[in-house]
Amino acid sequence: MKKSNDHLIMLSFGFALLILVFIGGMFYWTTRRLIWTNTKALDTYQIVENLNALLAGMYKGESSARGFMMSEAVEDVEIFRAAIAEVQTVIRDLEPMIAENPEQKARFEILRSAVNQRIEFSNHKIELRKSQGFNPALDFFLTGRDQTLMDSINAVVSELKSEEMRLLHYRRAQADLSAKWSHISLILGLSVSFCMLSVVYYYLHHEVLRRRQAETEALRLNEELEHRVRERTVELADVNRQLKLRNEEVEHANRMKSEFLARMSHELRTPLNAIIGFSDLLAEESPGSLSDKQRRFVNHVSAGARHLLQLINDVLDVSKIEAGKTELNPADFVALDAVDEVLSVINPLAESKDIKIDNQVGSEWILRADRIRMKQILYNLLTNAVKFTQEQGLVRIEASPEGDLLRLCVSDTGIGIPLDEQRLIFEEFHQAGGTTRNPSQGTGLGLTITKRLVELHGGRIWVESEPAAGSRFSFTIPLAQQPNE
């Protein structure tokens, strides 16, 4: 009987040991799988970061190349060279990271070719500016090859990112599945082991040894817990220090921003107003008659100064809205009155291009809003509509109720906005397409200011457009009362 019990105990121990070895092997394999997945995840994030850096370098290089084309400033060429060097460094770093994936490697070669062609395009544009002047360089730029190459680069970069993220999701799914099976194996193995050890425990009479082992394990767990508590305390103290430093940096940035706004307001707008005033006096030929060339130079100075003043005013408006310093003065007024006041300013610009403005806003709508800000919203939208509409086109403004809000729509028959740009059109300094006469007019802040002013009133703004089919900007504004019957 004793020999039979000993045999049963040995079998139970052996079976339990096999189960534990199996569980250990499962956990080892799962751990290695998770480590591998995390490593690949870090590689993916690094590839995505490098791709973003490549795009940033390309945009930076093109911006400096355009700056050189416009002003022939030597520092723009230096910035361009530095940006291209950064892009080439990123290309070299990316190549070994995707060498294991044939599909990604093929996309990378397409990306490398497109980047090199775009660099050659920019170099040629710079050389044309140096050797032949502004007009040949501009003609070369307007061929559209530059945008085509950039679109190709963006598309390939998007494909590279999508493939990397797909691989990441697939690997994580495989790791999660492995962990799931590991947990199931652990539960089953522990259950069987528990049963076997229960049988062994029934025949073991060394209770004291078991208790000592349990006490030793409890002491070890307590020490481990105390160690983890100490580590977490140190981590929390470090996080608190970092938060304190970050708060100090934010406060310093806010102070610097306030100082910058005050300095811009006084140091830039005051002399610009003086330049504009004296330019107007010269244009009126109050000091004496001017030659045609002098009159043209004076007009250039005045136009440039007014453009720069508008940019500064727009930047100040955006900064004040972001800082929460823009206060609304709501009042009740007829929507049609505000529209007519804005149209009195817009009509001369529309007439110069033979554009018809169709005002469908009725006199029955009473708004509860800041009248000045409301006119600013309408002015920005109508100015853009006229600017981006070809000669003999049509601009229409309509109104319709939407609950407690009035929905105003400004539509045109202009050049339209591509779908990929519609998501960016309300961002700061973004300019979609170009006007029919001058593709570089404007500050790129008008729609940003418009969107934030609409949101300050509790409304929303959106755009519906197709290339060559016109655009339709709609926004909502609070109603003071229901339409008069």
Side-chain angles (χ1 to χ4, degrees):
M1 184 71 179
K2 183 178 182 299
K3 184 178 288 187
S4 176
N5 288 341
D6 292 340
H7 185 65
L8 179 60
I9 291 172
M10 294 299 295
L11 286 176
S12 299
F13 267 117
F15 192 78
L17 181 61
L18 288 175
I19 292 175
L20 292 175
V21 170
F22 173 76
I23 293 173
M26 287 291 296
F27 268 93
Y28 174 78
W29 182 81
T30 303
T31 303
R32 290 296 300 272
R33 182 82 175 182
L34 290 174
I35 293 174
W36 180 82
T37 301
N38 289 333
T39 301
K40 291 299 182 181
L42 292 175
D43 291 343
T44 295
Y45 294 140
Q46 184 63 48
I47 290 172
V48 172
E49 182 179 349
N50 285 346
L51 290 172
N52 290 334
L54 184 145
L55 288 178
M58 293 302 296
Y59 281 120
K60 182 179 179 182
E62 179 56 22
S63 177
S64 58
R66 291 182 182 179
F68 178 80
M69 187 182 73
M70 298 298 297
S71 62
E72 203 173 7
V74 177
E75 57 270 22
D76 286 332
V77 177
E78 296 175 355
I79 295 173
F80 171 78
R81 302 302 181 195
I84 295 308
E86 293 175 3
V87 169
Q88 292 173 343
T89 300
V90 171
I91 290 291
R92 288 195 297 270
D93 293 340
L94 277 172
E95 185 171 9
M97 299 177 69
I98 62 175
E100 298 178 359
N101 190 326
E103 295 181 359
Q104 290 291 79
K105 188 174 181 181
R107 293 188 182 99
F108 176 77
E109 294 300 327
I110 296 174
L111 175 63
R112 190 211 300 269
S113 175
V115 167
N116 290 334
Q117 292 180 41
R118 195 167 188 269
I119 292 174
E120 292 176 2
F121 183 92
S122 297
N123 279 324
H124 187 61
K125 180 169 58 178
I126 291 173
E127 294 302 322
L128 278 177
R129 182 65 175 92
K130 289 180 179 179
S131 61
Q132 300 183 27
F134 174 78
N135 289 331
L138 179 61
D139 293 339
F140 181 68
F141 169 75
L142 292 177
T143 59
R145 175 63 174 166
D146 179 63
Q147 186 60 44
T148 301
L149 291 173
M150 196 62 217
D151 291 342
S152 175
I153 292 172
N154 282 323
V156 177
V157 168
S158 178
E159 292 177 1
L160 287 168
K161 289 181 180 179
S162 298
E163 178 62 14
E164 289 296 327
M165 297 309 296
R166 186 193 67 78
L167 290 174
L168 177 61
H169 293 324
Y170 172 79
R171 291 162 181 164
R172 283 185 171 175
Q174 292 297 313
D176 291 341
L177 181 61
S178 300
K180 178 180 178 180
W181 282 109
S182 177
H183 291 160
I184 294 174
S185 301
L186 172 63
I187 294 172
L188 293 176
L190 289 177
S191 300
V192 176
S193 297
F194 177 78
C195 294
M196 300 303 297
L197 291 176
S198 296
V199 174
V200 174
Y201 173 77
Y202 179 78
Y203 294 100
L204 292 178
H205 304 286
H206 303 288
E207 186 67 19
V208 175
L209 178 61
R210 189 192 63 79
R211 291 181 178 179
R212 288 179 180 177
Q213 291 175 344
E215 291 173 356
T216 302
E217 182 66 13
L219 290 174
R220 186 187 67 81
L221 291 174
N222 286 334
E223 292 176 355
E224 183 177 340
L225 180 60
E226 291 175 357
H227 178 68
R228 290 180 178 177
V229 169
R230 288 193 297 269
E231 289 182 343
R232 182 57 57 86
T233 302
V234 173
E235 292 176 359
L236 290 176
D238 184 59
V239 169
N240 288 333
R241 286 193 297 270
Q242 293 179 1
L243 287 175
K244 183 178 179 181
L245 292 174
R246 185 61 57 85
N247 289 334
E248 292 175 355
E249 291 176 358
V250 170
E251 291 176 359
H252 177 71
N254 286 333
R255 288 196 301 271
M256 293 297 293
K257 183 177 181 179
S258 298
E259 293 175 4
F260 169 76
L261 291 175
R263 184 173 301 174
M264 176 179 287
S265 176
H266 178 71
E267 298 294 339
L268 294 179
R269 290 198 294 184
T270 300
L272 277 175
N273 284 324
I275 292 173
I276 293 171
F278 284 115
S279 297
D280 291 342
L281 288 175
L282 288 174
E284 294 172 0
E285 301 186 11
S286 297
S289 60
L290 301 176
S291 65
D292 292 340
K293 186 175 184 180
Q294 291 171 334
R295 191 176 299 106
R296 187 171 64 255
F297 288 167
V298 168
N299 290 335
H300 288 332
V301 170
S302 178
R306 293 179 190 275
H307 181 78
L308 182 56
L309 181 61
Q310 181 61 44
L311 175 59
I312 293 170
N313 289 333
D314 287 347
V315 171
L316 288 175
D317 282 344
V318 172
S319 300
K320 287 179 181 178
I321 294 173
E322 288 179 347
K325 295 181 179 180
T326 299
E327 297 182 359
L328 299 180
N329 298 309
D332 295 350
F333 59 91
V334 179
L336 179 59
D337 293 344
V339 174
D340 287 340
E341 291 177 16
V342 174
L343 288 180
S344 66
V345 180
I346 299 296
N347 279 329
L349 177 60
E351 291 173 357
S352 67
K353 296 175 65 177
D354 196 15
I355 294 174
K356 179 183 177 182
I357 298 181
D358 184 13
N359 181 10
Q360 296 291 331
V361 179
S363 59
E364 68 271 22
W365 305 111
I366 309 297
L367 300 179
R368 179 66 178 177
D370 187 313
R371 188 185 184 105
I372 295 177
R373 295 303 185 181
M374 177 64 184
K375 289 164 60 177
Q376 185 176 0
I377 293 170
L378 290 170
Y379 178 80
N380 287 342
L381 293 179
L382 287 169
T383 300
N384 279 350
V386 173
K387 182 194 302 182
F388 288 95
T389 299
Q390 297 88 345
E391 294 182 355
Q392 299 181 352
L394 173 65
V395 173
R396 177 179 288 112
I397 177 169
E398 304 168 279
S400 59
E402 193 171 286
D404 295 334
L405 302 172
L406 181 66
R407 176 176 175 178
L408 288 162
C409 303
V410 176
S411 58
D412 60 63
T413 58
I415 61 176
I417 305 170
L419 181 62
D420 57 344
E421 288 196 13
Q422 293 179 24
R423 295 187 294 269
L424 307 173
I425 196 169
F426 293 105
E427 293 186 1
E428 297 175 3
F429 300 106
H430 181 82
Q431 294 179 329
T435 68
T436 57
R437 293 183 177 178
N438 188 351
S440 62
Q441 291 180 354
T443 63
L445 290 173
L447 288 177
T448 301
I449 295 172
T450 300
K451 179 177 183 292
R452 296 184 182 180
L453 289 177
V454 169
E455 291 173 348
L456 283 177
H457 282 86
R460 64 188 183 96
I461 185 170
W462 66 97
V463 62
E464 303 166 272
S465 180
E466 292 182 7
S471 302
R472 181 182 178 88
F473 283 84
S474 304
F475 69 95
T476 56
I477 208 76
L479 278 169
Q481 60 186 44
Q482 293 298 321
N484 296 330
E485 298 295 336

